[in-house]
Amino acid sequence: MINKTLITGFLIVIFFNTKAQNNTDPIYIKHYTDIMTDKEYFVPSKPLTCLENSKRGFAIHVSLKRKGKNNVVYSGYTIKSMGIGNCLEHDEIIILFEDGTKYSEKSWNDFNCNGNSYYDINGNDFDDIKSKKIKAIRFTNGRSYESFTYNLKSDEAEYFMKINEALEKNSIVVVQSLD
């Protein structure tokens, strides 16, 4: 009886864990307002996380902003990296699309040792990346030249396409914020 209970409990944990990690869930836009300053923030519901293990990899965080009264638009992206060199400066990202075309860009931010790299300051490159499935992404530290290439899983390949769809459908969820 105890073994059946343990096995059932184990299977339930696996089921809910798998459900929580499902990348096929639609992406939506979270809208935060700092109630102290009334400043607004718009962020996709999840970043694109590209990890080799818990100590090496990067995450892409898309930046969004309000344009006009009822419109939210893409305004660039940030990469938070770890284990790919200690300090960063003039880092490069190369995105290989499934059709064989590539997009590459160098970060514009100054030297830092926090793992932060900023790209597309004017928000002009979204047209280049929002309509194609991604095969792989390489991040290269511009200071140490260490790099990490991540091959996307099939359910991650449409990440920028899903963000574009959320923007087009105006899929915005208001989230309460006290920060």
Side-chain angles (χ1 to χ4, degrees), residues 79 81 84 87-93 105-110 112 115-119 139-146:
I79 292 182
S81 62
I84 311 171
C87 296
L88 304 167
E89 185 176 38
H90 306 297
D91 309 311
E92 183 179 32
I93 183 154
E105 187 171 2
K106 296 237 185 221
S107 64
W108 56 264
N109 58 298
D110 293 330
N112 75 88
N116 297 321
S117 303
Y118 301 99
Y119 297 86
F139 175 82
T140 303
N141 180 321
R143 193 162 174 80
S144 68
Y145 300 105
E146 293 177 60

Side-chain angles (χ1 to χ4, degrees), residues 24-156:
T24 59
D25 292 338
I27 292 177
Y28 57 92
I29 308 305
K30 291 182 181 180
H31 175 201
Y32 296 92
T33 301
D34 182 330
I35 62 171
M36 301 302 279
T37 64
D38 294 328
K39 187 168 181 178
E40 293 183 303
Y41 301 94
F42 296 91
V43 295
S45 54
K46 58 185 170 184
L48 177 58
T49 306
C50 306
L51 294 174
E52 178 180 60
N53 56 44
S54 63
K55 296 179 182 177
R56 183 172 161 85
F58 58 90
I60 298 176
H61 299 271
V62 173
S63 301
L64 306 169
K65 66 179 179 182
R66 182 181 296 278
K67 183 176 183 182
K69 185 176 180 180
N70 295 317
N71 201 15
V72 176
V73 297
Y74 165 87
S75 62
Y77 61 95
T78 303
I79 292 182
K80 180 74 171 180
S81 62
M82 63 179 184
I84 311 171
N86 294 324
C87 296
L88 304 167
E89 185 176 38
H90 306 297
D91 309 311
E92 183 179 32
I93 183 154
I94 301 173
I95 298 175
L96 173 63
F97 297 101
E98 287 187 357
D99 67 1
T101 60
K102 298 174 190 168
Y103 160 87
S104 66
E105 187 171 2
K106 296 237 185 221
S107 64
W108 56 264
N109 58 298
D110 293 330
F111 172 85
N112 75 88
C113 297
N114 301 325
N116 297 321
S117 303
Y118 301 99
Y119 297 86
D120 196 15
I121 190 170
N122 297 316
N124 296 331
D125 292 345
F126 196 52
D127 286 340
D128 296 338
I129 58 179
K130 72 179 183 182
S131 60
K132 298 178 184 180
K133 289 185 178 183
I134 302 169
K135 183 175 182 177
I137 302 174
R138 175 175 293 160
F139 175 82
T140 303
N141 180 321
R143 193 162 174 80
S144 68
Y145 300 105
E146 293 177 60
S147 67
F148 171 66
T149 302
Y150 180 77
N151 295 305
L152 279 75
K153 300 173 187 124
S154 61
D155 58 347
E156 298 169 322

